[in-house]
Amino acid sequence: MGYGFYDITLYRQSENSNNKDFAIRNNLISDLYIDFLNGYKPPGTTRISVNIGNEDYIRGYFGSILNVEAIFNEKEYWLSQPENQNKIILNTIHRIAIFCAEKYGWDRAFFDNAYNKVIECGFIYKKELKRKPSKDRKHQASLLLEKNGDSATISVNFYNPKGEFLKSVKLLKSFHHTMHYKKALTNNRWFNNLDFGIHLRDQEIIIKASLEKPGSETILKPVRNTLEELEGYLRSITYREFTDRLDFVNWANQ
């Protein structure tokens, strides 16, 4: 089974300390842009890898990855306010997407629509999944995914039978990349008429919220997995900041 189109990333060659800020901003805007393509996949392409350079130039494919060089005015970017920095990154992503679309005959209408939608949402990433009714049909609940380019937060939204919002409870703050939280989004349900949340590892990890309680609750029920394995898995999908490369290595080896 083939993979969808999942990424357009701008890469800076500089080792400037601001690389992290730039990467976080690019992650957020790229994700918004890709999501608003509504599943459109350029033929034979899973991602566009963009190196900042001196001209807009298509280097070609390496497998399904299209490698491109792009002009980017770094001086203007770093002198701009955050709102304008967002627009500069979006304009670069869109310009390159259209550049590639014209060369390879892709349908540019999808890219123009994605560009406009990112502007309309104000660069704020919020995606609510389908609402599910409770077993007694007295309430509805859904998962809400929010991203800031650095992390992803999954919450539960509760509603009354009329669809009126009642409250939101955070379940999990994970890392930015979908590989860390994808299963959490897929595995969600009502556990009874009051509790809704996510389940992982054959339901041996449950993270849920209740209509009657203010916060979330994490339950580990070892059966096929040991308690240590469940704790390790939960740690691997729970967001934390790393002070340096050694800090990351120590965390990864736990």
Side-chain angles (χ1 to χ4, degrees), residues 9-250:
T9 299
L10 308 181
Y11 291 100
R12 299 176 68 231
Q13 301 305 315
S14 169
E15 295 186 3
N16 188 294
S17 61
N18 289 328
N19 269 342
K20 182 178 180 180
D21 178 83
F22 180 86
I24 289 172
R25 206 173 290 278
N26 178 74
N27 287 341
L28 173 64
I29 296 168
S30 175
D31 277 9
L32 282 167
Y33 190 81
I34 295 296
D35 275 14
F36 284 128
L37 287 175
N38 295 323
Y40 177 72
K41 181 184 183 299
T45 310
T46 55
R47 64 178 299 206
I48 301 176
S49 180
V50 186
N51 286 303
I52 292 175
N54 299 316
E55 61 177 333
D56 288 351
Y57 174 72
I58 297 175
R59 297 186 178 278
Y61 281 94
F62 182 78
S64 62
I65 300 174
L66 182 56
N67 293 287
V68 181
E69 186 174 310
I71 298 172
F72 189 88
N73 189 328
E74 293 218 33
K75 182 177 181 180
E76 177 189 6
Y77 176 83
W78 292 115
L79 290 175
S80 297
Q81 295 298 311
E83 295 79 7
N84 197 46
Q85 288 180 333
N86 289 339
K87 190 72 176 293
I88 291 171
I89 289 178
L90 175 62
N91 287 343
T92 304
I93 288 174
H94 185 57
R95 187 184 77 245
I96 290 303
I98 296 302
F99 184 43
C100 295
E102 291 175 345
K103 178 175 176 60
Y104 294 106
W106 303 342
D107 189 340
R108 69 167 289 165
F110 285 94
F111 298 98
D112 288 333
N113 178 69
Y115 176 86
N116 292 330
K117 290 294 185 181
V118 176
I119 295 294
E120 287 175 15
C121 78
F123 300 93
I124 296 172
Y125 190 108
K126 283 189 176 184
K127 178 189 288 186
E128 186 171 12
L129 277 62
K130 183 179 179 180
R131 297 180 190 179
K132 296 182 178 181
S134 59
K135 296 176 183 180
D136 61 3
R137 301 286 172 174
K138 292 184 178 180
H139 295 94
Q140 302 173 46
S142 64
L143 292 186
L144 175 68
L145 174 65
E146 299 176 274
K147 303 179 75 171
N148 60 15
D150 186 40
S151 62
T153 300
I154 299 173
S155 303
V156 174
N157 282 353
F158 287 104
Y159 300 87
N160 67 19
K162 296 180 180 180
E164 297 169 332
F165 177 78
L166 297 176
K167 69 173 184 175
S168 183
V169 180
K170 187 177 81 171
L171 295 179
L172 174 70
K173 183 176 181 180
S174 190
F175 297 97
H176 173 81
H177 198 282
T178 184
M179 68 178 182
H180 294 283
Y181 60 82
K182 184 176 182 180
K183 290 182 179 179
L185 291 182
T186 303
N187 302 325
N188 65 92
R189 69 180 181 88
W190 285 93
F191 297 99
N192 50 52
N193 290 322
L194 297 174
D195 299 343
F196 185 91
I198 58 180
H199 56 91
L200 302 158
R201 289 296 176 100
D202 298 320
Q203 301 195 52
E204 292 180 36
I205 298 176
I206 293 175
I207 309 174
K208 64 181 182 178
S210 174
L211 283 161
E212 294 184 332
K213 299 176 183 178
S216 64
E217 179 182 10
T218 299
I219 301 172
L220 304 182
K221 302 189 298 182
V223 180
R224 296 182 180 179
N225 300 277
T226 67
L227 179 61
E228 290 75 17
E229 288 172 332
L230 296 180
E231 290 174 338
Y233 178 79
L234 188 58
R235 184 174 62 248
S236 73
I237 65 171
T238 301
Y239 177 81
R240 61 160 289 177
E241 292 187 12
F242 301 103
T243 55
D244 52 32
R245 179 65 181 175
L246 180 60
D247 185 28
F248 171 78
V249 172
N250 290 334

